Amino acid sequence: MLKIRIATLVIISSLVLSCSDDDGSIPVIDNEILTINEIKSLLNSANDSNDLVIGTTIEIIDGIEYTVVNFESKDSIFFKSSLLSATFEEPKKWNLIFEFADNSFADTGFIGDSLHIKSIQLNPHSTAPLSALISIEMPVKGKFEIEVIGKENGGITIGNRFEKFDEDHQLSVLGLYQNYENVVRINFLSNDNNVRLSKTCTIQTDELESQPIIEVIENNHDNDDDHIYFVSDLCLGFDQKGEVRWTFSGSSSFLYRKLTNGNLIISSGEDKISYHSKSFYEVTMLGEIVKEYAIPNYQHHEIRELPNGNFLVASNSQPIVLRDGNPEEDLVIEVDRASGSIIKSWDLNEILDPTRTPIPGSRPDDWFHLNAVYYDQDDQSIVVSGRSQSCVAKIDYNTNEVKWILSNHNLWSPAFANKLLTPVNDSGSEIDVSQMAFWTAGQHAPLKLPNGNVMIYDNGDYRGFYDNPDVTRNSYTRIVEYEIDEFN
């Protein structure tokens, strides 16, 4: 009885199971025996679809020898071996050559044994010493996956899959350890993410200067959590074990946030007044400065990316000179992403109430102390946080009209009475909060949650001041979530 390995071979009446076309269909040549030209046509189709040969096998059927060409898609070409004189593997070129009985030739892509690495550059832009750039040019199209292998005894492996499907590749290597011979695994993948070839290389890094020791007190994450956690004022990132895995060594003040394109926003450390910076950068994870944005009256505290790609920036209505008596930390601006020009601004001196008494420790010129801003796309508004006023307010993006104010009601001018949010209980009935910690005090970082609520980091500075001016600064901090009925 003739036995055929069904897992690797399917025989149909034409003795052909060809490579799939781009639309997924399998063309069938309705001949009893493939001709040489038909074999060449099928090999060309495999080349066009980038379906590489994984090997050839021989099958004997009724005393006749057949050659089976097997592809990574699990398709095959099946023909009489008498049509073939020889095959020549070129694994370094990822190529397989067929010499046929009529002395003609054809070649097709083949699973090779080597990566064509052109260069490995550690810290390619001289500002991200724990990153590298690997340039690879392959003979066949594919995509890559990079993994920086974690240290022994539970170190975290940090990896990334690149979706570019081509022959030329520039691969960012992120998450290197400092002062370490890093093992980097490079996986070459098919379009279906199957590993064609896996190789490792090593990248030696230097010890970083003046980097903190990070102690993880409690860790509830699994080892497959390969995120990098950033520290803003240190411009560095660490893994869940506390190992520094990224840092920016260029001139910097604060690292603000990650953008939708994967880049970072970092404020410059070259021209500073306290924590106010003259400019900020868009920076790639490899440390390349994509663009620098100069802010006339300096920038502080907050930079947000708008849906249109522009930046929402906390600034100053006057040139910043600390303690000169002029208002400061009181202006929101929109910076055009392409040109860097200021295309819109919101002066809180004109929108809110600069005559309202601030909490103790606030200077008259720092009456609001703008420390956060975000854009609410649902109703085209901006939400601002003012530490000195213990106030979070929503302002219409287009008209500058105040929509609501989340703040203790005391000491606001009558013009804002109808903007102050009313404390209610779960059933919507008004409640007296004068004897409870309902309002924030010296807060930071309001954030709209997926459920529509607003979450705030409540510092607690002079909690209850607007009900009792004699309170001291010492208090507890908390995270507080507010549900706001914006209609009622």
Side-chain angles (χ1 to χ4, degrees):
M1 178 180 293
L2 177 65
K3 295 183 179 180
I4 297 177
R5 294 192 300 273
I6 300 300
T8 60
L9 174 66
V10 176
I11 300 178
I12 56 181
S13 60
S14 61
L15 297 183
V16 178
L17 179 59
S18 77
C19 305
S20 300
D21 281 346
D22 290 340
D23 62 0
S25 63
I26 299 177
V28 175
I29 299 175
D30 193 19
N31 295 327
E32 196 65 29
I33 300 174
L34 281 176
T35 67
I36 291 175
N37 286 337
E38 288 167 345
I39 298 169
K40 290 180 179 179
S41 177
L42 290 172
L43 292 173
N44 286 334
S45 295
N47 255 337
D48 292 342
S49 61
N50 200 58
D51 192 6
L52 304 188
V53 174
I54 60 175
T56 61
T57 58
I58 299 298
E59 300 289 343
I60 307 296
I61 301 177
D62 295 333
I64 300 175
E65 181 181 300
Y66 292 88
T67 295
V68 185
V69 182
N70 299 302
F71 294 88
E72 59 186 347
S73 65
K74 296 186 172 28
D75 289 342
S76 303
I77 301 176
F78 183 83
F79 56 89
K80 280 187 175 181
S81 297
S82 59
L83 298 177
L84 190 65
S85 294
T87 58
F88 305 95
E89 295 180 358
E90 296 181 313
K92 292 189 180 303
K93 296 182 178 180
W94 290 65
N95 191 48
L96 179 62
I97 300 173
F98 293 83
E99 181 182 2
F100 293 100
D102 63 358
N103 296 320
S104 64
F105 292 86
D107 62 349
T108 191
F110 174 71
I111 297 292
D113 63 3
S114 59
L115 294 178
H116 293 226
I117 298 176
K118 297 166 62 178
S119 64
I120 299 178
Q121 294 176 272
L122 177 65
N123 194 9
H125 301 286
S126 302
T127 53
L130 299 184
S131 70
L133 181 65
I134 298 180
S135 298
I136 299 180
E137 185 175 355
M138 296 298 295
V140 295
K141 290 183 178 181
K143 55 185 176 180
F144 279 94
E145 184 177 66
I146 293 284
E147 294 177 304
V148 178
I149 306 302
K151 290 181 178 179
E152 294 181 358
N153 302 319
I156 303 302
T157 295
I158 293 179
N160 183 49
R161 179 178 294 166
F162 302 85
E163 293 306 321
K164 178 184 177 183
F165 191 79
D166 209 338
E167 295 171 346
D168 293 332
H169 299 267
Q170 302 292 314
L171 307 177
S172 303
V173 182
L174 305 175
L176 298 172
Y177 291 99
Q178 63 168 317
N179 191 29
Y180 189 70
E181 187 176 46
N182 293 267
V183 177
V184 179
R185 181 184 294 122
I186 306 173
N187 296 324
F188 186 48
L189 309 178
S190 69
N191 204 22
D192 295 327
N193 300 322
N194 294 316
V195 177
R196 290 169 165 173
L197 182 66
S198 183
K199 296 284 188 178
T200 61
C201 65
T202 59
I203 300 178
Q204 177 67 52
T205 54
D206 296 328
E207 185 173 3
L208 300 176
E209 297 181 2
S210 305
Q211 293 299 331
I213 296 174
I214 300 170
E215 181 183 0
V216 178
I217 304 300
E218 183 176 350
N219 182 10
N220 295 320
H221 291 280
D222 295 328
N223 263 27
D224 59 359
D225 172 17
D226 62 352
H227 290 86
I228 296 177
Y229 302 89
F230 291 97
V231 182
S232 174
D233 57 343
L234 298 179
C235 289
L236 62 76
F238 59 93
D239 65 22
Q240 57 161 295
K241 303 294 186 180
E243 292 270 10
V244 176
R245 306 295 291 270
W246 188 90
T247 186
F248 183 74
S249 61
S251 172
S252 62
S253 181
F254 294 95
L255 188 159
Y256 279 90
R257 61 188 69 255
K258 192 174 184 179
L259 302 175
T260 53
N261 63 4
N263 294 343
L264 302 171
I265 286 295
I266 297 177
S267 59
S268 171
E270 291 184 354
D271 189 347
K272 289 176 54 182
I273 299 175
S274 182
Y275 49 76
H276 297 246
S277 293
K278 182 67 174 177
S279 64
F280 66 89
Y281 319 113
E282 177 180 351
V283 180
T284 70
M285 290 290 288
L286 285 177
E288 179 184 7
I289 296 176
V290 177
K291 188 174 178 64
E292 182 174 4
Y293 299 88
I295 307 300
N297 290 343
Y298 287 65
Q299 163 275 327
H300 60 89
H301 276 103
E302 184 74 285
I303 302 171
R304 291 271 188 170
E305 184 181 22
L306 290 167
N308 63 8
N310 293 343
F311 297 112
L312 205 60
V313 181
S315 185
N316 304 284
S317 61
Q318 305 289 329
I320 181 67
V321 179
L322 297 180
R323 299 174 180 83
D324 67 346
N326 291 319
E328 62 187 51
E329 303 194 19
D330 54 358
L331 184 74
V332 180
I333 60 175
E334 180 178 346
V335 178
D336 185 86
R337 180 74 163 266
S339 68
S341 60
I342 298 174
I343 59 176
K344 189 171 176 60
S345 64
W346 295 263
D347 189 340
L348 301 178
N349 293 281
E350 300 174 357
I351 296 172
L352 293 171
D353 184 6
T355 66
R356 184 174 184 255
T357 303
I359 63 175
S362 305
R363 303 188 313 273
D365 53 1
D366 194 18
W367 67 272
F368 190 73
H369 194 92
L370 171 65
N371 61 22
V373 58
Y374 72 81
Y375 178 75
D376 189 342
Q377 192 169 3
D378 289 343
D379 62 356
Q380 295 185 325
S381 300
I382 63 170
V383 174
V384 296
S385 167
R387 176 192 175 276
S388 295
Q389 295 290 317
S390 294
C391 154
V392 175
K394 173 175 273 197
I395 301 166
D396 188 278
Y397 172 90
N398 295 300
T399 67
N400 293 9
E401 177 189 0
V402 177
K403 292 193 172 186
W404 51 252
I405 297 173
L406 177 65
S407 172
N408 188 299
H409 290 200
N410 293 332
L411 303 183
W412 284 94
S413 70
F416 296 94
N418 65 340
K419 305 297 183 182
L420 296 165
L421 293 173
T422 302
V424 297
N425 58 21
D426 289 345
S427 62
S429 301
E430 293 186 23
I431 56 176
D432 179 8
V433 297
S434 60
Q435 301 302 315
M436 61 185 291
F438 185 88
W439 308 112
T440 60
Q443 78 293 319
H444 286 72
L447 173 69
K448 185 174 181 179
L449 300 175
N451 63 8
N453 294 348
V454 177
M455 184 175 70
I456 302 172
Y457 176 67
D458 180 9
N459 293 70
D461 285 349
Y462 298 97
R463 188 181 302 283
F465 165 77
Y466 286 102
D467 288 313
N468 176 15
D470 295 327
V471 298
T472 61
R473 180 172 185 175
N474 295 327
S475 184
Y476 59 89
T477 64
R478 63 176 179 167
I479 300 295
V480 59
E481 180 179 347
Y482 292 97
E483 180 181 359
I484 300 175
D485 184 345
E486 295 186 320
F487 181 75
N488 293 312

